[in-house]
């Protein structure tokens, strides 16, 4: 593959992995918010912060149930955007003891097939129907009925967004594999022990 | 019958074939599901339920938040060197005898089992804490991975456990009875693991060499380092369990306390650098996504599998007449074991239990029906736990592979076989001697 | 034709489990097999909370639900699902068919292309499991309680730390003390969860839910295609189904309560002054919700007016307490 193509592809990889690297840091508020829930239970606090009117995402007050919602919001974002990043780093689970004994060319064909006919249809499915769900959630203002967070559309919207990125990632990789197949040189499976 | 079930059977065949192709498991599961929905002319709007399953079944499941927390805890303990020092001090208790690390794994496994109940969380935590140390000590990686997979899955049998909660709900058995009933089988299993390690230490010591001994350190220094290396991390691990028992936290919340504690401990013992911290943050995200994407794929697969008659096929398998109660029970257990090769345990619980529960309840084992169901539920739990470990499609094995992608899955497959046999021995024990399950719940009444 | 229905409940849950199957059996018999309904349990196709969306999109033909499940998108479903200090089952029945209830809910469901058939009337719940005695409103201050819906918001007003612990974590949390109290359901369902072993007191009345509606929900296009005759049959089958399940629920509470007492839990009543305070808090919460959603306001007004207008009837029929 030409140096331009190669540069474009690695730029696409970096760009598509970026949201995962950002949401990764949400593990800190995840840990702290759960610890805060535990403390609140100990002291019997229900409403942690109260304010006038309604603010985006948090609604009318910060309650213990807001923290619970915040926790699954964070979990969702970590899974969704981390999934795209994990895809580029080849961290998704594989059963490869047979595949490792195959020729690089055969493996490249398998990867190309998987990207286009196994992964891409899933992404299209989630984008197609996930955007409907997100739109309904937005329109109805779907949110907690327990005094928790008031923006479920955020996560319902993140679902098709992340799978959109994953679909782009699959196309990026398919392009690279096609180039490799044409040139006959194949990249090594990268094993990242570091970021 | 095969003609009636041509779709589900071909789905399973395609799944197995593509699984071995080496493409990512989660994407294979989802892709096969979608492809077959299209081939069988299922209306595309039906597939929209796949998206709903991903959202409501996986993303909004608050209990799964324990996964990133335990992964982070494991990474902090590993990257700061605490895990290795803890393993070494525990192993040092075995002196120059071989197998010290292996004993340490089982001990930590049992303690962690009592605090996590989510498949994936404990396997990944245990793997992160112990595999690097065992590799460095020259352990046979088959033994090491088999041991970690087996002790890591103990967590879903030893209470609290999500699996027992779902089984209790499905079988209408009080959760408290199930929790009590699972304790002896869990202890028997850990005992059998111990026995296996002892046998290995005797007959194949080269598979589990003793760690190199540090010689001639002053007594005061030894005591201090023992406090730092053994006491503090053990206190942390026990406090995860302790916060549950004392009612300070729920099991999921205790995972966050563990994660915070591990970070503080890393900072206090000097093993903390920003680089290590960032590494733990990043790895947590990718590992969590890896676990969740297998769940995501499985939920899309099973949606279509059901639609194309998979559940009817499974129901048909369970039609047997005029055989003795024990034979019926054995056949049910064998069928569930085989289904465990292909299907996720949640699907097995949802599809199979409504079919088999009335059958089991009608069998005469000379016990009250409520006891029969309780005994059956625990046997089923041990069976399902075994299915997590059984190649080719054992979730625990996949997750362990995710902890260290350099370990070939073939190594893990071979390493886990003795433990699958141990599981089966325990299952036979539980079935042969119902009082293993029933005695504790009875004594509580 | 054959239709696919998914319940939000497991098919083996007492009373609500077999209810849609009973409905489907009657519909099949009454239409001479023209309308066959395949009933699936919770999670067979979608998780319980997604049934409404799947019926709305047409992925499922029909669903069986507790209306309160949809309140995150449809606020009025909250008050229909469970109104604190709301109507008793017989008054709820009157309101639904003759007091304008059905029309209000249908108005809320119309934008989602969902047809609503009230099909299962749930009798009063218990007030909940407590490990702390409740002698005055002050006892709610700082109480860690698992309770859902509008009742939870009312308790939060009284200073309780109300939270949505998943059903599966209730037992353990009561046992360890992480929760001081938990509300789940009526005795016949509660007893199966085994809470009687880990809670000291079982309080009544179920102020947070005196009655509740479970319904058959049908995709609008499917409903329109059924034709008038089959539509009427489905409505009638639901009315018959309500008679079945009212009877089975009344029939199962007494043995369940006996079993709960036998396990050592003490069955109690909230003191009257506590109930008065709870009622005040509950109405404040409902007024707040009404201010945010016009349909909720309409349902609240309608229910309040109906309860007043028929209120004289049970009073006229009251006997003095028996004095043996
Ligand atoms: Na556990
Ligand atoms: Na398996």
């Amino acid at each position: 593959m030409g140096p331009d193509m190669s540069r474009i592809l690695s730029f696409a990889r970096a760009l598509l992995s970026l949201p995962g690297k950002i949401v990764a840091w949400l593990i800190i508020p995840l840990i702290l918010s759960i610890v805060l829930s535990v403390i609140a239970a100990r002291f019997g606090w229900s409403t942690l912060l109260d304010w006038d009117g309604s603010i985006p995402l948090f609604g009318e007050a910060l309650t213990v149930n807001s923290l619970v919602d915040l926790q699954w919001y964070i979990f969702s974002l970590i899974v969704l955007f981390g999934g795209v990043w994990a895809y580029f780093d080849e961290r998704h689970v594989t059963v490869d003891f047979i595949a490792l004994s195959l020729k690089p060319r055969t493996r490249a064909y398998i990867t190309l097939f998987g990207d286009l006919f196994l992964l891409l249809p899933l992404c299209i499915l989630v984008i197609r129907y996930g955007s409907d769900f997100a739109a309904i959630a937005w329109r109805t203002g779907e949110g907690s009925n327990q005094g928790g967070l008031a923006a479920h559309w955020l996560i319902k919207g993140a679902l098709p967004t992340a799978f959109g990125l994953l679909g782009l990632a699959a196309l990026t990789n398919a392009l690279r594999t096609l180039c490799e197949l044409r040139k006959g040189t194949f990249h090594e499976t990268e094993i990242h022990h570091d970021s | 019958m095969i003609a009636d079930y041509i779709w589900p059977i071909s789905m399973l065949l395609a799944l197995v074939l593509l699984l071995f192709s080496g493409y990512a498991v989660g994407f294979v599961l989802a892709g096969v599901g979608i492809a077959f929905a299209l081939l069988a002319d299922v209306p595309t709007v039906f597939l929209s339920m796949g998206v709903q399953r991903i959202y409501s079944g996986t993303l909004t499941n608050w209990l799964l938040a324990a996964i990133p927390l335990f992964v982070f805890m494991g990474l902090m303990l590993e990257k700061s060197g605490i895990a290795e020092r803890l393993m070494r001090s525990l192993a040092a208790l075995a002196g120059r005898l071989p197998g010290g690390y292996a004993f340490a794994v089982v001990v930590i496994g049992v303690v962690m089992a009592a605090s996590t109940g989510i498949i994936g969380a404990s396997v990944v935590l245990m793997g992160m804490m112990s595999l690097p140390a065992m590799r460095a000590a020259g352990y046979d990686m088959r033994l090491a991975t088999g041991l970690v997979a087996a002790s890591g899955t103990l967590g879903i049998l030893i209470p609290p456990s999500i699996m027992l909660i779902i089984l209790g709900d499905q079988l209408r058995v009080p959760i408290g009875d199930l929790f009590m009933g699972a304790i002896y089988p869990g202890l028997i299993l850990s005992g059998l693991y111990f026995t296996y390690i002892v046998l290995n230490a005797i007959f194949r010591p080269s598979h589990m060499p003793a760690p190199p001994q540090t010689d001639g350190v002053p007594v005061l220094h030894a005591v201090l380092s023992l406090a730092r290396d053994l006491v503090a991390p053990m206190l942390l691990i026990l406090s995860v369990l302790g916060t549950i028992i004392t009612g300070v936290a729920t099991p999921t919340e205790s995972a966050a306390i563990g994660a915070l504690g591990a970070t503080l401990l890393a900072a206090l013992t000097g093993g903390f650098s920003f680089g290590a911290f960032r590494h733990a943050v990043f790895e947590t995200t990718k590992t969590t996504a890896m676990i969740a994407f297998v769940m995501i794929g499985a939920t899309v697969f099973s949606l279509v599998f059901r639609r194309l008659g998979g559940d009817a096929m499974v129901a048909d398998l369970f039609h047997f007449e005029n055989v003795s109660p024990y034979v019926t029970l054995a056949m049910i257990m064998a069928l569930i074991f085989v289904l465990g090769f292909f299907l996720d345990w949640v699907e097995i619980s949802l599809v199979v239990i409504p079919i088999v529960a009335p059958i089991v309840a009608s069998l005469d084992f000379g016990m009250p029906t409520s006891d029969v169901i309780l005994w059956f539920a625990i046997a089923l739990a041990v069976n399902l736990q075994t299915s997590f470990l059984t190649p080719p499609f054992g979730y625990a094995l996949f997750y362990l592979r995710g902890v260290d992608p350099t370990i070939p899955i073939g190594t893990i497959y071979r390493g886990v076989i003795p433990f699958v046999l141990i599981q089966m021995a325990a299952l036979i024990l539980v079935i042969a001697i119902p009082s293993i399950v029933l005695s504790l719940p009875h004594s509580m009444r | 034709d054959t239709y696919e229905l998914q319940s939000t409940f497991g098919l083996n849950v007492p009373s609500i489990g077999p209810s849609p199957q009973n409905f489907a059996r009657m519909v099949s018999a009454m239409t001479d097999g023209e309308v066959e309904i395949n009933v699936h349990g919770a999670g067979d196709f979608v998780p319980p909370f997604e049934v409404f969306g799947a019926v709305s999109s047409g992925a499922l033909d029909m669903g069986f639900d507790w209306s309160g499940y949809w309140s995150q998108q449809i606020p009025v479903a909250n008050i229909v699902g469970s109104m604190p200090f709301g109507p008793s089952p017989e008054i709820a029945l009157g309101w639904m068919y003759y007091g304008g209830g059905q029309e209000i809910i249908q108005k809320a469901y119309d934008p989602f292309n969902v047809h609503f058939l009230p099909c299962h009337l749930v009798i009063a719940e218990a007030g909940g499991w407590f490990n702390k005695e409740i002698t005055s409103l002050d006892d709610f201050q700082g109480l860690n309680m698992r309770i859902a819906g509008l009742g939870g918001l009312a308790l939060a007003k009284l200073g309780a730390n109300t939270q949505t612990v998943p059903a599966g974590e209730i037992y353990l949390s009561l046992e360890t003390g992480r929760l001081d109290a938990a509300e789940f359901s009526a005795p016949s369902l509660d007893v199966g969860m085994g809470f009687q072993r880990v809670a000291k007191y079982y309080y009544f009345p179920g102020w947070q839910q005196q009655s509740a509606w479970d319904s058959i929900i049908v995709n609008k296009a499917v409903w329109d295609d059924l034709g008038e005759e089959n539509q009427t049959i489905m409505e009638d089958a639901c009315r018959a189904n309500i008679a079945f399940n009212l009877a089975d629920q009344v029939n199962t509470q007494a043995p369940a309560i006996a079993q709960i007492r036998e396990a050592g839990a003490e069955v109690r009543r909230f003191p009257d002054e506590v109930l008065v305070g709870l009622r005040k808090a509950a109405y404040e919460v409902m007024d707040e919700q009404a201010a945010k959603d016009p349909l909720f306001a309409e349902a609240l007004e309608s229910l309040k007016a109906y309860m007043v207008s028929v209120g004289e009837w049970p009073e006229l029929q009251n006997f003095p307490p028996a004095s043996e």
Side-chain angles (χ1 to χ4, degrees):
Chain A
M1 103 186 86
D4 284 347
M5 192 62 174
S6 159
R7 211 176 311 135
I8 292 171
L9 288 181
S10 56
F11 177 70
R13 290 165 64 96
L15 197 66
L16 293 169
S17 301
L18 187 62
K21 292 188 186 184
I22 296 170
V23 297
W25 294 98
L26 293 175
I27 185 81
I28 300 169
L30 176 63
I31 294 171
L32 294 179
S33 77
I34 296 182
V35 172
L36 184 57
S37 304
V38 173
I39 295 170
R42 206 76 215 130
F43 293 97
W45 306 329
S46 180
T47 302
L48 303 168
L49 264 179
D50 207 347
W51 49 78
D52 289 333
S54 178
I55 65 170
L57 181 64
F58 287 97
E60 284 154 22
L62 184 73
T63 68
V64 169
N65 288 323
S66 315
L67 294 181
V68 171
D69 284 342
L70 187 69
Q71 289 148 21
W72 69 258
Y73 277 29
I74 291 176
F75 172 74
S76 297
L77 295 173
I78 285 179
V79 167
L80 288 171
F81 294 105
V84 186
W85 185 16
Y87 170 79
F88 278 127
D89 277 11
E90 303 189 19
R91 282 295 304 276
H92 284 295
V93 172
T94 58
V95 181
D96 55 4
F97 67 100
I98 294 175
L100 287 176
S101 64
L102 300 174
K103 277 186 296 196
R105 176 167 288 275
T106 318
R107 276 165 59 196
Y109 277 120
I110 291 173
T111 311
L112 187 64
F113 172 84
D115 285 338
L116 295 180
F117 299 107
L118 296 171
L119 176 52
L120 204 56
L122 172 67
C123 298
I124 294 171
L125 175 77
V126 178
I127 296 166
R128 163 69 185 80
Y129 291 106
S131 40
D132 282 358
F133 297 139
I136 293 173
W138 170 255
R139 208 173 62 227
T140 58
E142 184 183 342
S144 166
N145 49 14
Q146 303 273 318
L149 299 188
H152 290 2
W153 58 266
L154 200 73
I155 303 305
K156 285 197 170 174
L159 181 62
T161 308
F163 275 83
L165 298 184
L166 191 56
L168 287 176
L171 287 174
T172 309
N173 256 16
L175 207 59
R176 178 170 75 166
T177 312
L178 274 174
C179 291
E180 287 179 352
L181 278 169
R182 217 166 43 124
K183 289 192 67 178
T185 53
F186 300 93
H187 73 281
E188 286 290 302
T189 299
E190 292 159 56
I191 289 167
H192 296 251
H193 275 295
D194 260 293
S195 54
Chain B
M1 180 181 149
I2 288 190
D4 292 345
Y5 297 126
I6 193 77
W7 284 121
I9 290 172
S10 19
M11 267 187 96
L12 290 179
L13 290 177
L15 175 65
V16 171
L17 184 74
L18 286 167
L19 218 52
F20 287 128
S21 78
Y23 196 67
V25 171
F27 305 150
V28 166
L29 280 159
V32 169
I34 295 170
F36 272 81
L38 298 176
L39 284 174
D41 237 358
V42 174
T44 47
V45 67
F46 178 85
L47 284 174
S48 68
M49 290 197 280
V51 184
Q52 290 176 290
R53 285 168 79 105
I54 294 171
Y55 176 76
S56 225
T58 307
L59 299 183
T60 68
N61 189 343
W62 180 75
L63 297 174
L64 296 182
I67 295 174
L69 298 167
F70 276 122
V71 171
F72 184 77
M73 175 178 167
L75 280 161
M76 281 314 291
L77 292 178
E78 200 248 312
K79 288 298 150 199
S80 59
I82 295 169
E84 204 205 324
R85 292 199 300 268
L86 167 65
M87 292 278 296
R88 212 187 305 140
S89 341
L90 272 175
L93 298 177
R96 289 183 179 279
L97 296 174
Y101 282 165
F103 286 108
V105 167
V106 179
V107 169
I108 298 173
V110 172
V111 175
M112 290 315 299
S115 53
T116 76
I118 305 233
I119 175 70
S122 45
V123 173
V124 169
L125 174 68
M126 296 283 302
M128 283 169 171
M129 285 183 59
S130 60
L131 283 182
M134 287 199 281
R135 182 200 298 276
Y139 269 53
D140 181 314
M141 286 316 275
R142 283 172 300 187
L143 178 72
T145 52
L147 186 62
V148 168
S151 4
T153 50
L154 263 186
I156 55 145
L157 180 66
I158 294 182
S161 143
I162 303 296
M163 185 170 79
L164 291 180
I165 288 166
I166 291 192
L167 287 182
D169 187 44
Q170 286 280 310
L171 288 165
R172 319 297 316 156
V173 181
I175 292 161
D177 281 357
L178 280 179
F179 281 5
M180 287 292 150
I183 288 178
Y184 285 147
L187 292 178
I188 287 175
L189 273 170
S190 23
L192 289 174
Y193 297 164
F194 259 116
T195 313
Y196 177 69
I197 297 169
V198 170
L199 291 177
N200 259 287
I202 295 171
F203 294 108
R204 283 191 299 209
S206 62
H207 284 196
M208 37 202 306
Q213 298 283 314
T214 43
D215 29 35
V217 283
V219 177
L220 179 66
H221 184 262
V223 170
L224 278 179
S225 69
L226 191 71
R228 191 192 62 183
D229 298 346
L230 180 66
V231 177
M234 266 328 260
L235 275 180
L236 170 68
I237 290 173
L238 287 171
S239 75
V240 172
L241 185 57
T243 51
I244 301 173
I245 293 172
T246 55
V248 170
T250 69
T252 310
E253 290 168 344
S254 77
I257 293 172
L260 182 67
T263 312
L264 295 178
L265 194 60
L268 288 175
T269 52
F272 188 93
S273 69
F274 180 72
F277 183 70
R278 195 183 65 157
H279 176 81
V281 167
F282 282 1
E283 280 300 303
T284 298
T285 291
K286 286 185 279 186
T287 308
T288 304
M290 163 197 99
I291 295 175
F293 264 81
V294 177
M295 297 178 181
I296 286 173
T299 201
V300 175
F301 177 87
S302 52
L303 171 71
V304 180
F305 184 69
R306 276 159 180 253
R307 176 66 168 73
L308 297 183
D311 46 357
M313 179 176 85
V314 172
D316 254 13
L317 289 172
F318 287 91
H319 273 300
F320 7 76
E321 276 158 29
N322 302 325
V323 287
S324 85
Y326 278 98
V327 175
T328 308
L329 188 67
M331 284 165 76
I332 289 175
M333 286 295 162
L335 271 172
I336 289 176
F337 181 73
V338 173
L339 285 175
F341 288 168
F342 308 107
L343 294 183
D344 170 19
W345 69 274
V346 177
E347 298 303 325
I348 294 181
S349 315
L350 291 177
V351 176
V352 176
I353 291 177
I355 302 163
V356 299
I359 302 177
V360 173
S362 70
L363 299 176
D364 182 13
F365 292 99
M367 293 186 272
T369 310
S370 62
D371 281 351
V372 171
I373 293 284
L374 175 57
W375 169 56
F376 169 73
I378 297 298
L380 187 60
V382 176
N383 196 346
L384 288 175
Q385 188 213 343
T386 310
S387 89
F388 290 130
L389 292 173
T390 311
F393 204 70
Y395 277 41
L397 314 179
F398 294 163
Y399 297 149
L400 193 58
R401 176 79 201 294
V403 171
D404 187 344
T406 59
I407 302 173
I409 191 102
T411 301
I412 303 179
Y413 280 179
R414 279 194 292 275
V416 84
I417 286 170
F419 292 94
V420 172
L421 295 176
I422 289 176
Q423 293 283 135
M424 289 164 102
L427 181 60
I428 290 168
L429 265 179
V430 164
I431 291 179
I433 313 171
S435 62
I436 293 175
V437 174
L438 299 174
S439 56
L440 259 190
H442 281 177
S443 70
M444 296 299 289
R445 284 180 190 154
Chain C
D1 288 5
T2 302
Y3 300 93
E4 305 295 320
L5 179 152
Q6 192 197 301
S7 176
T8 55
F9 308 107
L11 300 183
N12 54 353
V13 179
S15 188
I16 42 178
S19 185
Q21 289 170 313
N22 192 41
F23 162 78
R25 176 186 63 77
M26 288 188 284
V27 170
S28 167
M30 290 156 86
T31 59
D32 253 340
E34 199 189 310
V35 178
E36 292 290 343
I37 300 170
N38 285 336
V39 177
H40 303 269
D44 267 12
F45 291 130
V46 273
F49 287 129
E50 298 295 324
V51 168
F52 189 88
V55 171
S56 168
S57 72
L60 282 172
D61 299 316
M62 304 177 193
F64 179 74
D65 65 2
W66 170 56
S67 307
Y69 281 150
W70 320 129
S71 57
Q72 299 209 349
Q73 289 186 342
I74 306 171
V76 68
N78 217 354
I79 193 167
V80 178
S82 57
M83 176 184 179
F85 296 93
S88 64
E90 82 222 55
I91 294 176
L93 193 61
W95 178 72
M96 184 58 75
Y97 285 117
Y98 303 108
Q102 210 170 348
E103 289 76 13
I104 293 176
I105 302 157
Q106 189 57 57
K107 228 190 294 183
Y109 284 10
D110 273 339
F112 298 91
N113 289 318
V114 173
H115 188 82
F116 168 79
L117 287 175
C119 208
H120 183 121
L121 185 48
V122 183
I123 66 171
E125 289 194 332
W129 301 90
F130 288 74
N131 275 322
K132 286 191 176 156
E133 255 185 305
I134 301 296
T135 53
S136 75
L137 285 179
D138 292 340
D139 293 326
F140 288 124
Q141 194 68 46
L143 185 87
N144 286 312
M145 179 162 185
R146 190 262 188 197
I147 175 170
L150 296 165
L153 294 176
L155 274 184
K157 258 198 185 323
L158 296 172
N161 181 16
T162 60
Q163 49 213 300
T164 41
V165 174
E169 282 200 344
I170 302 175
Y171 181 95
L172 189 73
S173 302
L174 277 174
E175 186 176 37
T176 60
R178 170 64 179 75
L179 285 177
D180 306 311
E183 171 269 332
F184 185 66
S185 185
S188 57
L189 283 179
D190 282 0
V191 75
M193 299 288 284
F195 298 142
Q196 58 275 16
R197 300 220 203 110
V198 289
K200 283 198 203 114
Y201 310 110
Y202 194 30
Y203 270 97
F204 286 90
W207 58 274
Q208 76 284 7
Q209 182 174 313
Q210 278 291 290
S211 61
W213 281 102
D214 296 346
S215 68
I216 299 284
I217 49 176
V218 188
N219 177 272
K220 190 69 170 41
V222 171
W223 178 253
D224 291 342
D225 279 349
L226 277 165
E228 210 169 313
E229 197 176 329
N230 289 336
Q231 289 175 349
T232 310
I233 284 175
M234 286 175 69
E235 284 163 355
D236 291 348
C238 273
R239 290 188 189 222
N241 199 38
I242 290 168
F244 276 107
N245 57 59
L246 273 179
D248 78 49
Q249 290 175 85
V250 170
N251 186 48
T252 47
Q253 302 314 322
I257 293 173
Q259 204 182 329
I260 285 162
R261 283 207 171 98
E262 206 180 306
E266 193 180 316
V267 175
R268 286 199 175 189
R269 277 185 60 87
F270 290 116
D272 281 353
E273 57 140 25
V274 167
L275 289 168
V276 169
L278 279 170
R279 186 207 301 260
K280 188 165 162 286
Y283 270 94
E284 277 173 29
V285 163
M286 287 190 282
D287 287 339
E288 284 166 18
Q289 301 287 317
K292 282 189 275 187
D293 183 69
L295 267 180
F296 189 102
E298 188 180 338
L300 178 61
E301 274 321 300
S302 169
L303 272 163
K304 281 202 285 202
Y306 195 78
M307 282 160 69
V308 169
S309 76
V310 300
E312 192 187 7
W313 175 246
E315 268 167 41
L316 284 170
Q317 300 291 355
N318 262 351
F319 296 136
S323 57
E324 254 171 271

